[in-house]
Structure formats: structure tokens, C-alpha cells
């Protein structure tokens, strides 16, 4: 492993990363974007209003060449200031996500959640994408329920972005946005990480952070990002968010990408980011909204839970008269053998 080719690959990758993070990235971004100190809005954290945060999780339980079983669930956490309010979780659902079964399973699950069939069938051959689509269905269902119960002046948080990956989820997301707007509820989607770049290679978040430091802007703050300065032109048909970058806590907290509904004015944006800043001072993940952290912790399918699900599924197989030999022939994988050595 320590040969010349290995050392050269280390040098090459390190050089490429250094090239993407030049020491003057803040100045370069200012020249590229035209942003000035006036584009950064300082925040005073607010802790009024009820905040509900939605997240989902999925994991592969068993997989064969022509069949896959995944587990998925979604849930929400609620907070009023630092006080945790009752939240909720869907049951863990086992879903078939293999090439033959995913479309049927998705249509059934979608109908169960929303009461009408999906706009278009799920057409994916990849198990992970099919599982993600089914998890998203649960997340959007939970979010739609939360939107219908959220109080005026509150905030609904989603994990990720205000866009969908499957056409059938688009009317659901549009409905959530409209419900929040009609009820006077703020809506924001927050990303744990983003692939957004500018100048054909430079990452967005480090550049905005570097510029804020050069301009002497102290956290917390928010800034609106003009999509025209980014490398990727987004597919607007299923995109419903304007892009922002925010630094939500004092000190060295990492900046986040956030999306608010398209057309959101600065007054509304400032109110939303003030609420976000007010719930981002948890020392476990300073700068990240703790309602979303709490939702993630509650909903995640851990390794221990996954083992329990596998055990329960094997018991279900036994009740159907399937022998261990049958299961091994269907779901067996030489990788399991390799891992023993």
C-alpha cells in the first residue's frame, strides 16, 4: 500500500482539494458574485412559536439479485423554545424495493398515505433509489399532517431541500407549501451538506463563510444566493425553493444551505432565520437546528434496530414454512462469507 503509486495518488488528491479551497476564496467569491456586506443580514435569535421538524430513515434489511426488502419510517419532533413537546413516529414498515416489486409497492404505499394514486409510476432499477422514494413518501405524509396542525407564527422544518426526486411527490410538496402559507407558518428545508459550487469547482459554503469573515460579519447571519452565480442550472419543474446560506450560532459553527419557498421576501426570510437561530445553540451540534437533530435521532434506523428487524423477518419466514436453506439460497451472498475472514 505504501508504494510510489499510492503516495502519488495521495499527493494528487490533496492537490485537487487544495485547488478547490484557495486561501483567497472569499475575495474570489466576492468578485464572482458581487456580494457585499449589505447582503448579509445579522440575526437576533428568537425562541417564540412552535417549531416542528420532520425527518425520515431507511435501511436495507435483505437483498438478493431480484429481490430486496427495506425498512423505512418517518417522524417529527416539536419544540416551543427549549421545551420539547409531543412528537410522533410512523411504524417501521417493511417494503419490497427490488426491480420487480418497487413500482407496485410504491403505488400502494402512496395511496395509503395520500388517498389517491401517484401521478406517475416509480421507474427505477436501483434498490437505493426505490427505498429513498418510499421513505420520502412517508416524510411528505408526516410533513403534510404537521402543516395542517401547525400554529400561526410557527415554523415547519424539513430535512434537505424544497424539491422532489419523483414526479408523484411534486403535488404533495406544493400542497405543503400552500398550506403553510395559508396558515401563516414559516417553512424551511435545511441541508446537512450541499454539492453547490460556483466558478466551475469551488464549494459554496466555505466561500460564503470566508467572505463573511473578510467583511467582518459576525455570526449569526443569513444571505440570499442568486442561482445565476452557481454552476448547476436546476431543473425548475420540481424545484420550489430559493437558496440561502446561514450561520445560525455565534463562534465557529459551520454554515448551512437552506431553502425557503420561492418568492419569499426578506422580511419573511428574516423572521424564519431568526427562529432557526434561536433553536441552533445545542452544544451537541452547535449551529444546526436542534429540532431537526432530535427528529433525526428519533427516526434513524440504527444497526441494533436493523438486526431486530432481520430477526423478526426470519421468524416470519419460518411461519411461512421457509427453511433456513431456502433463505440462504435466495438472500445468500459470498460477501457474507468473505466478512468472516
Amino acid at each position: 500500500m505504501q508504494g510510489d503509486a499510492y503516495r502519488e495518488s495521495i499527493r494528487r488528491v490533496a492537490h485537487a482539494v487544495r485547488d478547490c479551497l484557495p486561501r483567497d476564496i472569499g475575495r474570489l467569491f466576492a468578485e464572482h458574485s458581487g456580494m457585499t456586506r449589505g447582503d448579509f443580514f445579522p440575526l437576533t435569535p428568537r425562541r417564540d412559536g412552535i417549531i416542528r421538524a420532520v425527518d425520515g430513515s431507511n435501511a436495507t434489511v435483505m437483498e438478493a439479485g431480484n429481490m430486496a426488502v427495506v425498512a423505512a419510517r418517518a417522524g417529527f419532533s416539536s419544540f416551543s423554545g427549549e421545551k420539547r413537546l409531543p412528537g410522533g413516529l410512523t411504524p417501521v414498515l417493511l417494503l419490497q424495493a427490488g426491480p420487480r416489486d418497487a413500482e407496485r409497492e410504491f403505488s400502494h404505499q402512496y395511496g395509503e398515505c395520500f388517498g389517491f394514486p401517484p401521478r406517475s409510476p416509480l421507474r427505477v432499477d436501483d434498490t437505493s433509489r426505490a427505498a429513498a422514494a418510499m421513505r420520502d413518501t412517508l416524510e411528505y405524509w408526516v410533513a403534510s399532517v404537521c402543516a395542517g396542525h401547525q400554529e400561526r407564527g410557527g415554523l415547519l422544518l424539513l430535512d434537505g431541500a424544497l424539491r422532489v426526486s419523483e414526479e408523484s411527490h411534486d403535488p404533495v410538496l406544493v400542497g405543503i407549501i400552500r398550506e403553510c402559507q395559508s396558515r401563516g407558518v414559516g417553512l424551511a428545508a435545511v441541508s446537512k451538506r450541499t454539492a453547490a459550487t460556483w466558478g466551475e469547482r469551488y464549494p459554496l459554503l466555505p466561500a460564503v463563510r470566508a467572505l463573511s469573515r473578510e467583511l467582518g460579519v459576525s455570526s449569526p447571519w443569513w444571505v440570499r444566493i442568486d442561482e445565476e452565480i452557481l454552476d448547476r442550472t436546476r431543473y425548475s419543474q420540481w424545484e420550489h425553493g430559493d437558496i440561502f446560506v446561514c450561520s445560525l450560532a455565534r463562534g465557529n459553527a459551520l454554515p448551512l444551505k437552506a431553502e425557503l419557498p420561492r418568492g419569499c421576501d426578506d422580511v419573511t426570510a428574516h423572521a424564519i432565520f431568526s427562529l432557526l437561530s434561536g433553536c441552533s445553540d445545542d452544544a451537541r451540534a452547535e449551529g444546526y437546528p436542534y429540532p431537526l437533530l432530535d427528529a433525526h435521532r428519533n427516526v434513524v434506523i440504527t444497526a441494533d434496530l436493523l438486526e431486530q428487524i432481520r430477526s423478526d423477518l426470519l421468524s416470519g419466514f419460518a411461519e411461512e414454512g421457509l427453511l433456513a436453506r431456502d433463505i440462504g439460497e435466495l438472500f445468500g451472498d459470498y460477501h457474507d462469507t468473505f466478512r468472516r475472514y
Side-chain angles (χ1 to χ4, degrees), residues 200-275:
E200 300 183 358
R201 54 178 170 170
Y202 301 123
L204 175 65
L205 297 185
V208 178
R209 186 184 197 186
L211 178 57
S212 72
R213 288 172 170 171
E214 284 199 10
L215 296 173
V217 180
S218 300
S219 297
W221 48 258
W222 66 270
V223 63
R224 187 186 294 269
I225 301 298
D226 183 351
E227 290 186 43
E228 295 299 319
I229 70 174
L230 301 179
D231 290 333
R232 183 175 68 92
T233 301
R234 301 195 302 169
Y235 184 48
S236 61
Q237 183 178 356
W238 299 341
E239 304 271 2
H240 302 286
D242 289 336
I243 298 176
F244 299 78
V245 172
C246 55
S247 179
L248 297 175
R250 299 185 186 279
N252 294 315
L254 294 174
L256 300 170
K257 192 201 83 166
E259 292 190 13
L260 308 187
R262 274 193 171 155
C264 183
D265 59 64
D266 286 349
V267 173
T268 302
H270 195 78
I272 290 173
F273 285 114
S274 296
L275 287 173

Side-chain angles (χ1 to χ4, degrees), residues 95 102-114 116 118:
L95 305 161
E103 181 178 328
R104 182 194 69 247
E105 195 82 320
F106 175 77
S107 296
H108 174 76
Q109 181 201 17
Y110 188 99
E112 287 283 301
C113 286
F114 304 116
F116 52 88

